[in-house]
Amino acid sequence: MDAARFQTFVDWPRAKAAGIEFVFLKATEGGDLKDPKFEDHWKGAGQADIKRGAYHFYYFCTAPEIQARFFIQNAPRTRGSLPPVLDMEWNPFSPTCKRRPDGATVRAEMQRWMDIVTAHYGQKPIIYTTPRFYKENGLSVFRNVDFWLRTTAKTPAEAFPGQTWRFWQYTATGTLPNTPGAIDINAFNGSSATWESWLERRSLR
């Protein structure tokens, strides 16, 4: 699953018992917004022995270097955690930033953010994106990167033709016992053995 401030309460032990194996938690957005539920969610998931990782929601009106440093300040480098995630999507609801760079600029800014974050955490970030953002900005050029793809109406093969993927966010209407509201649910692409092998290779040291 994944969670942010919209999940005001998560019963993490019940989530674990229900079969949740991993969670991505929103840590930061832009260069000055820390998710107010991040620390609670991070602690709760860890205590429930759910594999956890932190993600950053990209903001197009702040330099990637500032955003990378802000993420590093707020997302702990905890041994055994999942790699950091860069969440790339258009935000039409932003009241402060209407900038939409061209694809080449978007990719260059992404790379600058990822280079700084990779150097700090020792793992290359996962890229989360939507079909529209992926297509409009030519994200298929990124190679040797784990993709986390959002598509709720189609399969990844249909929505992202030719793109390999590691995680698939396939619904935004999942439910969990004793946890209010809808939950984003994700699948890992592979068997249990593949999951364990990926964790061994990609977890933070």
Side-chain angles (χ1 to χ4, degrees), residues 7 9 15 34 42 89 126 139 174:
Q7 284 69 50
F9 173 78
K34 180 178 178 180
W42 185 264
E89 52 188 302
I126 297 165
L139 300 195

Side-chain angles (χ1 to χ4, degrees), residues 63-80:
E65 291 80 6
I66 294 173
Q67 297 191 59
R69 289 194 292 269
F70 185 65
F71 178 78
I72 287 168
Q73 289 168 7
N74 290 284
R77 181 179 173 175
T78 302
R79 182 179 177 85

Side-chain angles (χ1 to χ4, degrees), residues 98-114:
K98 304 301 181 183
R99 176 176 179 256
R100 289 199 177 191
D102 59 46
T105 302
V106 167
R107 296 191 301 272
E109 291 187 10
M110 290 174 64
Q111 191 63 61
R112 285 153 59 191
W113 189 95
M114 291 192 294

Side-chain angles (χ1 to χ4, degrees), residues 160-176:
F160 300 86
Q163 178 60 58
T164 59
W165 57 276
R166 186 63 64 184
F167 296 95
W168 172 20
Q169 187 183 78
Y170 62 89
T171 183
T173 58
T175 60
L176 286 172

Side-chain angles (χ1 to χ4, degrees), residues 149-160:
L149 303 177
R150 173 180 174 80
T151 171
T152 59
K154 299 178 180 180
T155 67
E158 293 169 329
F160 300 86

Side-chain angles (χ1 to χ4, degrees), residues 2-7 23-42 52-58 67-77 82-87 113 117 121 148:
D2 55 273
R5 66 183 184 278
F6 308 109
Q7 284 69 50
V23 62
F24 291 110
L25 302 170
K26 183 176 181 180
T28 52
E29 178 175 339
D32 60 1
L33 195 159
K34 180 178 178 180
D35 192 283
K37 295 297 294 183
F38 174 69
E39 290 181 355
D40 287 346
H41 288 332
W42 185 264
R52 58 195 172 164
Y55 74 87
H56 174 77
F57 189 92
Y58 197 81
Q67 297 191 59
R69 289 194 292 269
F70 185 65
F71 178 78
I72 287 168
Q73 289 168 7
N74 290 284
R77 181 179 173 175
L82 303 178
V85 176
L86 178 58
D87 181 344
W113 189 95
V117 170
Y121 292 95
W148 172 17

